[in-house]
């Protein structure tokens, strides 16, 4: 049998180790990862290996050559022009694969029993067998569900936290029959998980998952890199050591001198031709490469030191990585989780703080204290984007220098000369961040259409009319007054896809940004008639004649965060009477308690003025809470059901889009009007995309997110919602209190349980495996439905916190109370069992 070794990776998230080294050549126990994989293949009698190469191909080819020195026969296939993806590069060598073959990733450490997996594949007469394993935190990997016969039923590539439905993941090792490659196009980028496997599933080809026992670590980032070394030293994985074991758990290479006064605690590895000085202390977990010199009195606490490094007298290394040929001078300190790239110099008594990364060939001056990454800036995050845009503490995480770099990274993913709209709320901190983003965008040759302080619904409406490549909106976070939220929009005004987010992250973290010449620097324009254009679009979708005769009186509370003075002007134009409260701008954002106080005040004003209703506007024009004519607040699930009822009364047989956790009152209302309900994942982008993708959508969103009117623009819009409410109340001759009283009586209860990140996948798999498939919905989280009514319970992992949310919904209060109690107990008990079984992981 032949094996295809996927060795094309550039190891972006292992920077700065992989600037001059492909990821498969990064050493574990002083041997490249690829060599450990070849040793594994040899143990299972696979000696013909084809390596697919793209990034720095000569490094791997020069090391292994024809494979003779390693007991295998090596062949190489280099992707010269562009990467073809995991499946495309294998399709490229299809003529060499005329029988069952194995594909294995070049960046993982494992001791799986490949012989057993191959036997399983042949016994099942499978066309494609995925070798799977179970991990505590599956968010980084492709999640897979198999049935009792090991048939693959569902998989999802790198899920978001709320999408995890199993802890069984794809390890990137496959046993394939050559005919499956016929499904792939020639010379085209394609991926096994995203393209080939879904197609095989659709075509009904026999495809199985083999859940392997043993060790597996995807060396995808620096923490995993260190952990793999420590695990190997502790013999958690079966690897071949490059040196002789001179005493229990101590491996030392040839021609190495160790001063008799040095103290070495095991396990430890010391390579060939090393010099260890007097009184050196080496603690358990230390790995030292070949040709390394360690000065007298140095203290090494679990560092990983690559070949050719020089460590000075009294230097202190703690759980860090020192790359090839680096010099750490006398009394320097390199602390936990930091990385120093190859051929760098750390000066005398300098200190590299925990978690800091230094790229290759850098010099840190003597006595310097380095607290930020050298070259990368001041952040070591793996991801910039969260559930919704880029967010962080104002002027702490989201600083001017961060925003300049983010703007340049985004601009570098666009063509030079492209145009981008930039808008913000009216707070000073948002102005500061916006100006920094603009500077970064201009520096890479992007022209700016500056909408300035503008409500986000206006920005989304204008964007598609302006021939721009996208847009950015900056505001104080709707739910965190100390946070800034930066949202990126596409040409339609919808939040950008995960794929585009990854491109921006790639440019940011790799410093892959162009620098424009002086004459190419971007320009800034201030488009005119922005509000007029929004008002025109707004007006076209309303029955203006009805509004003019409504004589409605509405009280609008802006909560000291003005969303633009558009709405009162529009309502005045339509003949409605708008009373505005708290319209000035406060420098400090309102707390939840303060907003509740203002909501009570709003209710009193509505009652006193005998207004039709009141509304509290928030989230820079996206969200709202209503107050009916008696001063009673309408929000959350009641607000969702009320808006759906009013829109479907005006538009029978229409379609509504709501998040997965919205109450079943939505379906009950829709049945009254022959309407259709589409449920989406519980995030704003999913709601926006579904509203655009499906026909006849009259409203989308929820009381929690705000409401989308897709014929106006793709985002949430509280301003249009208010005008539409006046129109509908007038035409339908109803009041908010009347509509509320006619809504279905649904019992809806929520509860939140603390759940470590590492237990979320196992919890979701447990729920999937312990309930009949026909009773489950896996749109987002795991929803357990009752077959004959609208009762259900949803377990939804939180996207940004170590929590899971439980939502129980039914017409029967006793069912909700009992089910909530039972599942809360069940989930907490499962999490406790996981913590007992995996205390270190959790």
């Amino acid at each position: 049998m032949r094996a295809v070794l996927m060795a094309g990776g550039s190891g972006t998230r292992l920077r700065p180790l992989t600037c001059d080294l492909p990821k498969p050549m990064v050493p574990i126990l002083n041997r490249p990862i690829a060599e450990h994989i070849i040793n594994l293949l040899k143990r299972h009698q696979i000696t013909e290996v084809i390596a697919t190469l793209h990034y720095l191909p000569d490094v791997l080819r020069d090391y292994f050559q024809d494979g003779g020195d390693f007991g295998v026969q090596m062949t190489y296939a280099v992707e010269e022009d562009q990467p073809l993806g995991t499946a495309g590069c294998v399709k490229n060598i299809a003529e060499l694969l005329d029988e069952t073959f194995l594909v294995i990733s070049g960046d993982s450490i494992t001791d799986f029993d490949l012989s057993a997996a191959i036997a399983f594949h042949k016994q099942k007469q499978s066309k494609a067998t995925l070798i799977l394993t179970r991990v505590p935190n599956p968010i980084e990997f492709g999640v897979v569900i198999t049935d009792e016969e090991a048939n693959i039923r569902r998989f999802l590539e790198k899920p978001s936290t709320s999408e995890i439905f199993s802890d069984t993941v794809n390890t990137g090792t496959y046993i394939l029959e050559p005919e499956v490659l016929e499904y792939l196009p020639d010379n085209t980028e394609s991926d096994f998980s995203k393209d080939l496997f879904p197609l095989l599933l659709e075509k009904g080809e026999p495809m199985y998952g083999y859940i392997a026992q043993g060790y597996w670590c995807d060396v995808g980032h620096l923490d995993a890199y260190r952990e793999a070394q420590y695990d190997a030293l502790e013999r958690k994985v079966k690897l071949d050591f490059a040196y002789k074991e001179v005493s229990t758990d101590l491996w030392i290479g040839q021609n190495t001198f160790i001063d008799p006064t040095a103290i070495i605690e095991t396990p430890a590895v010391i390579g060939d031709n090393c010099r260890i000085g007097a009184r050196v202390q080496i603690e358990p977990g230390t790995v030292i490469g070949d040709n390394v010199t360690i000065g007298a009195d140095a203290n090494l606490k679990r560092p990983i030191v690559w070949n050719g490094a020089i460590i000075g007298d009294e230097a202190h290394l703690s759980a860090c990585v020192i790359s090839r040929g680096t010099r750490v001078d006398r009394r320097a300190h390199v602390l936990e989780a930091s990385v120093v790239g190859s051929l760098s110099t750390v000066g005398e008594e300098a200190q590299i703080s925990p978690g800091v990364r230094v790229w290759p060939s850098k010099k840190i001056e003597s006595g310097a204290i380095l607290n930020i990454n050298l070259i990368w800036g001041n952040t070591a995050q793996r991801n910039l984007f969260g559930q919704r845009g880029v967010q962080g503490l104002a002027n702490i995480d989201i600083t001017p220098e961060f925003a300049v770099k983010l703007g340049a990274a985004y601009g570098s993913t666009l063509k030079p000369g492209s145009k981008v709209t930039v808008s913000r709320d009216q707070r000073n901190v948002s102005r500061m961040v916006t100006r920094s983003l603009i500077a970064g965008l201009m520096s890479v040759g992007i022209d700016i259409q500056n909408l300035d302080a503008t409500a986000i619904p206006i920005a989304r409406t204008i964007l598609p009319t302006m021939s721009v490549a996208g847009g950015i909106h900056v505001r104080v976070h709707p739910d965190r007054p100390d946070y800034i939220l930066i949202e990126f929009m596409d040409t339609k005004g919808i939040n950008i896809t995960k794929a585009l987010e990854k491109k921006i992250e790639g440019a940011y973290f790799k410093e892959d940004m162009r620098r424009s010449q002086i004459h190419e620097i971007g320009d800034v324009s201030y488009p005119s008639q922005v509000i007029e254009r929004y008002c025109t679009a707004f007006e076209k979708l309303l029955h203006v004649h009805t509004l003019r005769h409504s004589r409605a009186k509405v009280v609008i509370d802006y909560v000291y965060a003005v969303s633009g003075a558009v709405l009162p002007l529009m309502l005045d134009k339509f003949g409605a009477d708008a009373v505005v409260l708290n319209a000035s701008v406060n420098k400090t954002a309102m707390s939840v308690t303060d907003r509740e106080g203002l909501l009570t005040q709003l209710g009193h004003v509505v009652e006193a003025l005998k207004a039709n209703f009141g509304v509290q506007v928030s989230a820079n024009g996206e969200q709202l809470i209503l107050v009916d004519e008696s001063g009673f607040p309408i929000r959350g699930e009641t607000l969702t059901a009320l808006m759906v009822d009013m829109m479907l009364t005006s538009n029978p047989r229409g379609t509504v889009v709501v998040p997965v956790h919205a109450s079943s009152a939505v379906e009950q209302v829709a049945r009254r009007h022959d309407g259709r309900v589409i449920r989406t994942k519980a995030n704003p982008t999913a709601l926006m995309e579904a509203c655009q993708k499906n026909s006849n959508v009259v409203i989308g969103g929820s009381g929690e997110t705000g409401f989308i009117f897709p014929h106006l623009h793709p985002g949430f819009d509280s301003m249009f919602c208010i005008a539409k409410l006046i129109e509908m109340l007038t035409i339908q001759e109803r009041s908010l209190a009347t509509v509320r009283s006619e809504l279905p009586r649904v019992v809806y209860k929520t509860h939140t349980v603390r759940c470590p990140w590492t237990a979320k996948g196992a919890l979701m798999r447990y729920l999937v495996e312990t309930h009949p498939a026909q009773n489950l919905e896996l749109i987002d989280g795991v929803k357990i439905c009752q077959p004959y009514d609208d009762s259900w319970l949803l377990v939804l992992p939180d996207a940004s916190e170590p929590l899971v949310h439980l939502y129980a919904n039914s017409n029967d209060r006793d069912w909700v109370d009992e089910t909530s109690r039972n599942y809360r107990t069940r989930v907490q008990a499962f999490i406790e069992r996981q913590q007992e079984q995996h205390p270190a992981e959790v």
Side-chain angles (χ1 to χ4, degrees):
M1 177 183 279
R2 289 189 177 93
V4 178
L5 175 64
M6 310 286 290
S10 61
T12 303
R13 291 169 64 192
L14 280 174
R15 305 284 191 190
L17 301 182
T18 55
C19 292
D20 51 4
L21 207 60
K23 187 155 63 162
M25 293 303 292
V26 168
I28 299 281
L29 300 183
N30 299 344
R31 278 185 164 170
I33 294 172
E35 187 174 344
H36 290 297
I37 293 169
I38 284 169
N39 288 339
L40 174 68
L41 294 172
K42 259 194 324 187
R43 284 203 292 273
H44 295 278
Q45 287 73 54
I46 301 171
T47 56
E48 290 184 57
V49 181
I50 306 165
T52 62
L53 311 175
H54 177 69
Y55 178 69
L56 301 175
D58 290 342
V59 177
L60 189 139
R61 200 161 39 188
D62 291 348
Y63 185 87
F64 288 103
Q65 298 189 27
D66 65 359
D69 291 345
F70 300 88
V72 294
Q73 178 189 324
M74 293 285 290
T75 313
Y76 303 96
V78 181
E79 302 168 60
E80 299 286 359
D81 300 322
Q82 62 177 38
L84 292 171
T86 58
C89 66
V90 176
K91 171 70 173 180
N92 205 32
I93 54 169
E95 71 277 3
L96 302 176
L97 304 168
D98 53 2
E99 60 181 3
T100 306
F101 63 95
L102 180 135
V103 174
I104 190 164
S105 167
D107 51 15
S108 56
I109 291 292
T110 182
D111 56 10
F112 287 158
D113 186 343
L114 299 180
S115 300
I118 293 164
F120 170 90
H121 173 85
K122 290 179 176 173
Q123 175 213 334
K124 292 286 188 182
Q125 297 184 323
S126 175
K127 293 291 186 190
T129 297
L130 283 66
I131 297 183
L132 312 175
T133 193
R134 287 186 173 140
V135 297
N137 187 6
I139 190 169
E140 298 287 339
F141 311 110
V143 174
V144 181
I145 282 183
T146 57
D147 64 15
E148 292 173 358
E149 300 298 319
N151 291 286
I152 288 178
R153 289 296 174 220
R154 187 165 184 218
F155 48 82
L156 179 65
E157 185 67 11
K158 293 188 180 176
S160 67
T161 45
S162 62
E163 293 174 315
I164 296 168
F165 50 74
S166 174
D167 62 351
T168 307
V169 302
N170 178 0
T171 66
T173 304
Y174 317 121
I175 304 157
L176 305 173
E177 295 302 319
E179 51 264 37
V180 300
L181 299 180
E182 293 169 13
Y183 284 102
L184 294 170
D186 292 324
N187 301 315
T188 304
E189 184 175 354
S190 56
D191 184 88
F192 281 119
S193 296
K194 292 177 188 168
D195 302 308
L196 180 60
F197 295 151
L199 187 57
L200 294 180
L201 206 58
E202 183 187 315
K203 298 289 185 185
E205 293 281 13
M207 184 162 57
Y208 290 85
Y210 175 78
I211 300 177
Q213 303 301 311
Y215 182 91
W216 177 75
C217 177
D218 174 31
V219 188
H221 51 81
L222 292 164
D223 291 344
Y225 175 68
R226 289 195 313 278
E227 286 306 316
Q229 302 265 8
Y230 302 148
D231 289 345
L233 278 176
E234 292 168 14
R235 303 183 196 254
K236 291 182 181 178
V237 55
K238 182 182 177 184
L239 295 183
D240 296 335
F241 284 75
Y243 316 105
K244 182 180 176 183
E245 189 174 6
V246 296
S247 61
T248 303
D249 292 340
L250 176 61
W251 295 265
I252 298 178
Q254 297 178 350
N255 194 32
T256 282
F257 170 79
I258 300 174
D259 190 280
T261 59
I263 299 170
I264 302 173
E265 297 178 65
T266 60
V269 168
I270 303 172
D272 296 331
N273 308 312
C274 293
R275 297 291 177 266
I276 310 297
R279 298 172 301 283
V280 167
Q281 289 190 303
I282 295 176
E283 295 194 10
T286 298
V287 177
I288 298 171
D290 298 336
N291 308 307
V292 172
T293 300
I294 311 284
D297 299 296
N299 189 329
L300 277 64
K301 296 181 177 179
R302 299 204 312 161
I304 297 156
V305 182
W306 288 16
N307 296 353
I310 299 171
I311 311 301
D313 296 351
E314 300 178 59
H316 180 101
L317 308 182
S318 179
C320 56
V321 180
I322 306 296
S323 302
R324 172 180 57 87
T326 285
R327 197 177 90 215
V328 179
D329 286 341
R330 177 174 167 272
R331 292 186 181 168
H333 282 55
V334 185
L335 302 181
E336 290 84 355
S338 56
V339 177
V340 184
S342 59
L343 306 175
S344 292
T345 301
V346 181
E348 286 191 11
E349 300 189 15
Q351 177 177 303
I352 299 179
S353 297
V356 168
R357 303 175 193 183
V358 178
W359 278 43
S361 304
K362 298 292 168 284
K363 180 175 175 61
I364 290 128
E365 298 293 334
S366 297
I369 298 176
L370 190 66
N371 291 318
I372 63 171
N373 298 335
L374 193 54
I375 294 300
W376 276 32
N378 64 352
T379 178
Q381 294 170 256
R382 289 191 211 144
N383 299 309
L384 292 176
F385 286 83
Q387 175 85 332
R388 182 175 193 173
V390 176
Q391 54 187 281
L393 284 163
N395 217 21
I396 295 172
D397 299 320
I398 308 296
T399 59
E401 53 271 35
F402 169 82
V404 168
K405 187 172 169 184
L406 179 63
Y410 172 47
S412 295
T413 68
L414 307 174
K415 292 178 181 175
S418 296
K419 294 179 181 177
V420 166
T421 66
V422 178
S423 55
R424 59 176 176 84
D425 68 14
Q426 291 192 321
R427 300 197 181 282
N428 284 344
V429 66
S430 303
R431 178 191 286 125
M432 175 192 78
V433 171
T434 302
R435 289 180 175 177
S436 301
L437 283 164
I438 288 171
L441 285 160
M442 291 172 68
S443 76
V444 295
I446 301 299
D447 293 333
I448 311 301
Q449 296 286 311
N450 192 348
L451 306 182
D452 223 343
T454 311
I456 192 167
I458 297 177
R460 290 195 198 274
T461 304
I462 296 305
L463 200 152
T465 71
M466 300 191 71
S467 302
V468 294
I472 304 175
H473 187 82
V474 180
R475 56 177 160 156
V476 171
H477 197 288
D479 306 317
R480 293 286 305 269
D482 54 344
Y483 264 51
I484 284 287
L485 173 60
I486 306 171
E487 287 179 278
F488 292 78
M489 296 171 273
D490 66 14
T491 54
K492 295 177 183 174
I494 302 174
N495 286 17
I496 60 172
T497 63
K498 291 291 176 195
L500 283 172
E501 289 178 357
K502 293 296 179 194
K503 280 183 74 174
I504 296 168
E505 286 178 347
Y508 181 94
F509 285 125
K510 287 190 286 185
E511 292 274 334
D512 188 10
M513 294 173 247
R514 58 178 180 262
R515 282 284 174 260
S516 297
Q517 297 179 46
I518 290 176
H519 66 277
E520 296 170 329
I521 297 293
D523 193 13
V524 181
S525 303
Y526 294 84
S528 60
Q529 298 186 313
V530 168
I531 291 174
E532 290 83 350
R533 277 188 265 179
Y534 172 73
C535 292
T536 302
F538 188 111
E539 213 168 317
K540 281 180 183 173
L541 296 177
L542 293 169
H543 294 104
V544 177
H545 181 74
T546 303
L547 283 169
R548 287 207 172 104
H549 290 83
S550 69
R551 301 188 178 279
K553 181 180 280 187
V554 182
V555 184
I556 304 169
D557 180 7
Y558 279 124
V559 201
Y560 299 107
V562 176
S563 304
V566 181
L567 186 59
L569 294 174
M570 293 288 287
L571 294 180
D572 185 55
K573 181 179 176 182
F574 298 147
D577 182 7
V579 178
V580 176
L581 305 178
N582 307 320
S584 59
V585 178
N586 238 353
K587 284 189 177 178
T588 54
M590 301 293 290
S591 69
V592 173
T593 308
D594 292 336
R595 279 164 62 170
E596 287 298 314
L598 292 179
L599 191 63
T600 304
Q601 178 196 81
L602 175 62
H604 295 323
V605 174
V606 169
E607 273 191 288
L609 295 179
K610 295 185 169 52
N612 295 78
F613 64 91
V615 58
Q616 188 181 80
V617 176
S618 60
N620 201 23
E622 283 193 333
Q623 296 169 14
L624 76 166
I625 297 172
L626 296 177
V627 171
D628 70 16
E629 62 272 28
S630 64
F632 186 85
I634 302 172
R635 59 173 133 193
E637 296 308 310
T638 306
L639 179 55
T640 308
L642 180 138
M643 287 304 303
V644 168
D645 181 84
M646 297 199 69
M647 287 300 291
L648 288 179
T649 301
S650 296
N651 303 273
R653 294 180 293 283
T655 298
V656 298
V657 174
V658 294
V660 64
H661 54 64
S663 84
S664 65
V666 174
E667 278 83 4
Q668 294 180 37
V669 167
R671 286 196 283 269
R672 294 176 184 175
H673 304 283
D674 294 327
R676 174 181 171 225
V677 177
I678 295 171
R679 287 181 178 261
T680 74
K681 293 184 176 111
N683 69 67
T685 304
L687 286 163
M688 289 186 229
E689 288 173 345
C691 286
Q692 292 295 306
K693 190 169 67 176
N694 293 281
S695 59
N696 199 29
V697 175
V698 295
I699 191 170
S702 69
E704 185 181 66
T705 60
F707 297 99
I708 298 168
F709 301 88
H711 297 299
L712 177 60
H713 63 79
F716 307 93
D717 193 332
S718 60
M719 298 185 292
F720 184 79
C721 187
I722 294 163
K724 193 71 182 169
L725 266 172
I726 296 171
E727 176 201 286
M728 292 188 295
L729 290 171
T730 304
I731 292 173
Q732 296 170 23
E733 298 181 341
R734 303 159 88 187
S735 70
L736 285 187
T738 307
V739 179
R740 181 167 57 84
S741 69
E742 294 169 354
L743 293 175
R745 296 283 178 254
V746 173
V747 183
Y748 183 88
K749 191 176 267 190
T750 69
H751 190 80
T752 297
V753 177
R754 292 203 67 80
C755 177
W757 290 100
T758 49
K760 286 182 180 180
L763 173 62
M764 295 299 107
R765 175 169 63 86
Y766 162 72
L767 293 169
V768 168
E769 289 177 351
T770 52
H771 293 85
Q774 64 269 23
N775 292 357
L776 296 180
E777 283 182 14
L778 300 175
I779 295 169
D780 208 1
V782 175
K783 184 185 267 190
I784 301 138
C785 306
Q786 295 302 296
Y788 303 113
D789 61 14
D790 289 321
S791 301
W792 48 257
L793 179 122
L794 171 67
V795 183
L796 184 66
D798 193 279
S800 52
E801 300 287 339
L803 307 168
V804 290
H805 305 290
L806 277 62
Y807 302 85
N809 172 99
S810 178
N811 295 330
D812 180 344
R813 180 171 298 280
D814 291 340
W815 186 91
V816 167
D817 290 342
E818 184 182 349
T819 304
S820 289
R821 191 165 50 251
N822 287 348
Y823 275 88
R824 206 161 76 205
T825 304
R826 195 167 168 178
V827 166
Q828 284 171 331
F830 181 86
I831 292 166
E832 286 165 11
R833 286 200 302 274
Q834 286 291 111
Q835 288 174 312
E836 287 167 9
Q837 291 167 14
H838 309 284
E841 293 166 347
V842 173

